[in-house]
Amino acid sequence: MRLTSLALLFPGLIAAYVIAVHFGQRSVMFPRPWGATPVSLGPAERVEFGSPPALGYLLPPSGKTERPFPLIIFAHGNAELAEMWIDQFDEVRSWGWGVLLLEYPGYGGAPGSPSEKRIRQAALAAFDWAANDSRIAGDRIVAYGRSLGGGAAASLAAERPIAGLILESSFTSVRPLAARFLVPGWLVRDPFDNLAALRQYRGPLLVVHGLEDEIVPVNEGRKLAAAVAGAEIHLLECGHNDCPRPWVRMRQFLEARGLITSTSGGKPAA
């Protein structure tokens, strides 16, 4: 009798687990920052693009400026907001580059709710808007994704003619990371298969990763670099959220591809 009861109970527990993981995973995957301090927009221009409308912040160049100017589209991590990065790109702007900080649906006042599909759509809309803005050089748009933002950046690499791709502290796919927490891959609703996206990309790739990354193991970064012929990888003595900004290496990467001249803009910070 007891065995029969257990046999009946076990499928119910499995079903409850599947339901809980299915409906609860996005609250874990897309946490919004709690108690984030409002940031002054400063030089940033709030822009909307696409339908349904997506949100971003355009930072103009501050150094020697070309017209039209080259642009980096930056996609942030999952527990961050785009506006948190407004004062982080002063060095890049001093090179004569603009920066478009992409906000995710449901984050920072952006309408909607986050999912892989909606974030991908927002990233594509950001590129299409930038490529058609007369201030921006549409043939010199670089995608830069940090952590979760690597999924947005990789999708641009697969679907739009970007001039270069930078992935920092990012992953091959959410599925192997979820497996570490006993979540089977088939239950992952937003897999962000960055390796699959990179198989469709033939342009320049720079991978930046912390050797002590406790959230996304450094081997994930190595696999990303191995997926694109000629890709560069830059490993740092840091974890996931404490890495210094890779401006020196990033500028060298852009210079080597002819996207920035060694004499334009300011010198990269040490």
Side-chain angles (χ1 to χ4, degrees):
M1 189 70 175
R2 183 175 297 174
L3 290 177
T4 302
S5 298
L6 289 175
L8 293 173
L9 178 63
F10 186 70
L13 292 174
I14 293 297
Y17 171 76
V18 169
I19 292 171
V21 170
H22 178 80
F23 288 103
Q25 61 183 270
R26 281 184 173 161
S27 63
V28 176
M29 182 108 174
F30 304 111
R32 281 61 142 199
W34 287 96
T37 303
V39 177
S40 169
L41 293 187
E45 173 191 349
R46 179 186 168 107
V47 292
E48 293 186 358
F49 33 76
S51 180
L55 174 65
Y57 299 93
L58 178 64
L59 295 166
S62 62
K64 183 179 178 181
T65 305
E66 304 174 48
R67 283 289 181 147
F69 54 77
L71 182 79
I72 287 174
I73 297 178
F74 177 73
H76 61 75
N78 67 346
E80 301 169 352
L81 296 175
E83 62 190 61
M84 291 177 168
W85 289 87
I86 286 175
D87 61 354
Q88 299 297 308
F89 280 88
D90 290 350
E91 177 64 31
V92 174
R93 295 173 59 223
S94 76
W95 305 341
W97 280 65
V99 180
L100 179 59
L101 305 174
L102 175 67
E103 191 54 283
Y104 303 148
Y107 280 63
S113 58
S115 70
E116 177 182 5
K117 179 180 179 180
R118 296 184 189 107
I119 289 174
R120 180 180 64 82
Q121 290 173 336
L124 296 175
F127 178 93
D128 293 343
W129 173 85
N132 288 285
D133 189 290
S134 62
R135 297 170 292 179
I136 296 167
D139 60 344
R140 286 198 289 165
I141 298 176
V142 171
Y144 175 11
R146 195 192 91 78
S147 191
L148 176 71
S155 71
L156 284 181
E159 301 187 53
R160 293 294 187 271
I162 62 171
L165 175 62
I166 301 166
L167 299 176
E168 178 187 341
S169 305
S170 199
F171 45 80
T172 58
S173 168
V174 172
R175 290 190 175 104
L177 301 181
R180 296 164 58 194
F181 299 94
L182 305 180
V183 176
W186 59 270
L187 266 180
V188 175
R189 300 173 67 185
D190 304 286
F192 287 99
D193 193 339
N194 292 338
L195 271 186
L198 290 181
R199 294 188 188 105
Q200 303 178 58
Y201 177 64
R202 298 293 181 271
L205 169 64
L206 171 64
V207 174
V208 179
H209 216 104
L211 286 166
E212 307 301 325
D213 195 322
E214 70 287 358
I215 296 175
V216 182
V218 66
N219 199 42
E220 291 284 291
R222 292 189 175 108
K223 290 178 180 177
L224 291 172
V228 176
E232 299 179 23
I233 185 167
H234 182 53
L235 302 180
L236 299 168
E237 294 288 346
C238 57
H240 189 75
N241 292 313
D242 62 341
C243 293
R245 298 294 88 227
W247 300 147
V248 173
R249 190 66 195 88
M250 195 165 116
R251 176 156 179 159
Q252 291 170 346
F253 171 75
L254 296 173
E255 287 177 350
R257 273 81 192 166
L259 295 171
I260 181 173
T261 62
S262 59
T263 58
S264 65
K267 295 181 180 180

